[in-house]
Amino acid sequence: MTAARPLLYLDVDGPLNPYAAKRQQRPEGYTTLRVKPEGWLAQHPGVPPSRVRPLRVWLNPAHGPALLRLADRYDLHWATTWTHEANTYIAPVLGLPALPVVTWPTLPAGGPEGTFWKTHHLVTHAAGRPFAWLDDELDHRDRAFVATHHAGPALLHRVDPRLGLREGDFETVAEFALGV
């Protein structure tokens, strides 16, 4: 029996969309996308969609080929509140195929043991498979929870939401896959 390929969980806001960069200074290499995903519209209850200002998203088209290179070693999954809309709005700009989506049973304020709310769900989703996770909301509590509750190897890699994914981030994730 062959070992299962590791999973690569991708968040959108932070790693792919450096939302915390200076508002008027789009990072070099990024393009601006203005969209009204359902999750964004839901944050404006009672306002007709035509009156909701579009969400500004910065994406770097070079991230698509870099992620596709990682797809040689990983099974890529969206792990974002964008859920299936990541395939509608984000994947085409990056040149990615539709990816499987981790669906969230709820969107609580926090997770067990002070962890980020996604952590428990991703450990459950991985079901012991090795995984790497790119997100901007990770800290030592998430790493401790995964070390205690996940049977396989895991890399929880925090991406600075002011910068988005950088070459070193891709290298770290590629190196992790070599060791599992």
Side-chain angles (χ1 to χ4, degrees):
M1 180 175 164
T2 60
R5 287 167 38 101
L7 298 160
L8 177 55
Y9 292 125
L10 300 168
D11 183 28
V12 171
D13 295 318
L16 295 172
N17 171 29
Y19 68 88
K22 292 182 181 178
R23 287 184 56 79
Q24 303 305 321
Q25 293 183 333
R26 180 177 66 199
E28 187 176 335
Y30 284 75
T31 186
T32 301
L33 181 67
R34 297 198 184 278
V35 295
K36 294 183 183 182
E38 290 299 319
W40 179 246
L41 294 174
Q43 293 181 32
H44 300 85
V47 179
S50 63
R51 304 229 0 157
V52 174
R53 187 177 192 167
L55 176 65
R56 188 257 309 144
V57 179
W58 284 328
L59 297 173
N60 186 336
H63 288 161
L67 290 167
L68 289 173
R69 284 190 295 277
L70 289 173
D72 289 343
R73 299 178 178 148
Y74 286 96
D75 292 336
L76 277 55
H77 284 66
W78 293 118
T80 174
T81 56
W82 285 75
T83 62
H84 293 283
E85 290 184 302
N87 283 322
T88 302
Y89 295 107
I90 307 303
V93 175
L94 299 180
L96 295 174
L99 301 177
V101 175
V102 176
T103 55
W104 315 109
T106 59
L107 300 177
E113 301 174 34
T115 60
F116 181 37
W117 65 266
K118 291 181 186 177
T119 306
H120 171 263
H121 298 295
L122 292 181
V123 167
T124 300
H125 184 271
R129 282 178 69 179
F131 72 87
W133 176 17
L134 296 170
D135 207 303
D136 62 306
E137 298 281 342
L138 302 168
D139 69 20
H140 67 281
R141 293 170 293 190
D142 302 291
R143 288 180 186 86
F145 182 89
V146 171
T148 302
H149 296 88
H150 181 65
L155 170 68
L156 280 65
H157 187 75
R158 184 183 181 281
V159 177
D160 187 329
R162 295 169 300 166
L163 304 174
L165 286 168
R166 317 272 293 201
E167 185 60 35
D169 300 312
F170 289 106
E171 290 170 3
T172 298
V173 172
E175 288 173 17
F176 174 76
L178 294 174
V180 296

